[in-house]
């Protein structure tokens, strides 16, 4: 698995000779891309007032996923690419464990949470697209491996699935209004 992770990193990352304009884009996405997801959430909050409780729950799930990601990364202790000398870090970052990515965990959690609710699926798809772009940017910039991003996506999916189950069982009256299917 580690060999495949290293090969994918070598294929995706900017390494020691990144393309200048791609690096600019990757750095922006890797550091500020979450603002795009925040804009989607603000839009959903504004356009879907009936779903604000669900959106708030999605944000709580996001926080839980980030806390879990940091705990797992500390426990697993997998080094980052720049720590291993595979690439410079084009984004300022501490040398702590990288698996799973907290950015990916947060964004994929929100994206999957929004996908569960029919009227928020477009917003969920937009956040998932942002999650992929941010993940790519962080790999290109040498602060994550592709497996870190994939693990964040899996963690996000698991947290969102638990949220869906809790929402499904705790609020049957809201389901009639909210249209979860």
């Amino acid at each position: 698995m580690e060999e495949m992770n290293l090969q994918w990193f070598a294929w995706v990352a900017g390494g020691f000779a990144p393309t200048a304009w791609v690096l600019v884009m990757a750095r922006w996405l890797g550091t500020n891309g979450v603002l795009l997801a925040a804009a989607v959430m603000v839009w959903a909050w504004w356009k879907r007032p009936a779903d604000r409780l669900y959106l708030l729950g999605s944000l709580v799930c996001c926080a839980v996923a980030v806390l879990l990601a940091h705990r797992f990364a500390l426990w697993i202790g997998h080094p980052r690419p720049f720590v291993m000398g595979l690439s410079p870090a084009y984004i300022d970052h501490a040398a702590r464990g990288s698996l799973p990515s907290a950015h990916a965990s947060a964004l994929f959690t929100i994206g999957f949470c929004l996908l569960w609710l029919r009227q928020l699926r477009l917003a969920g798809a937009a956040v998932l697209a942002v999650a992929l772009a941010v993940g790519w940017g962080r790999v290109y910039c040498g602060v994550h491996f592709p497996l870190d991003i994939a693990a964040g996506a899996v963690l996000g999916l698991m947290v969102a699935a638990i949220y869906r189950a809790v929402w499904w069982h705790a609020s049957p009256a809201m389901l009639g209004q909210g249209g979860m299917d």
Side-chain angles (χ1 to χ4, degrees), residues 32 52 111 124 129 181:
N32 301 312
R52 287 183 179 165
D181 47 10

Side-chain angles (χ1 to χ4, degrees), residues 1-141:
M1 185 72 99
E2 184 65 13
E3 185 175 320
M4 181 179 65
N5 198 27
L6 291 170
Q7 288 174 345
W8 285 356
F9 176 78
W11 182 64
V12 175
F16 291 97
T19 305
W21 69 270
V22 176
L23 180 60
V24 168
M25 187 170 58
R27 285 181 73 176
W28 190 88
L29 286 168
T31 56
N32 301 312
V34 295
L35 297 174
L36 298 172
V40 171
M41 289 296 285
V42 167
W43 174 86
W45 187 271
W46 178 65
K47 290 295 274 184
R48 301 291 314 165
D51 297 318
R52 287 183 179 165
L53 181 61
Y54 186 83
L55 290 166
L56 185 60
S58 299
L59 290 174
V60 170
C61 288
C62 174
V64 168
V66 168
L67 291 171
L68 288 171
H70 283 294
R71 280 286 173 209
F72 287 141
L74 183 64
W75 178 60
I76 296 168
H78 191 273
R80 293 178 183 272
F82 71 89
V83 172
M84 296 173 69
L86 301 174
S87 171
Y90 295 107
I91 296 173
D92 288 334
H93 207 291
R96 64 183 177 268
S98 67
L99 178 71
S101 162
H103 279 81
S105 298
L107 293 171
F108 280 104
T109 298
I110 293 216
F112 288 130
C113 282
L114 298 185
L115 279 181
W116 299 137
L117 213 55
R118 181 176 4 117
Q119 61 273 21
L120 295 175
R121 285 191 182 141
L122 181 60
V127 172
L128 289 178
V130 168
L132 290 170
V134 168
W136 166 80
R138 295 184 72 77
V139 171
Y140 193 87
C141 289

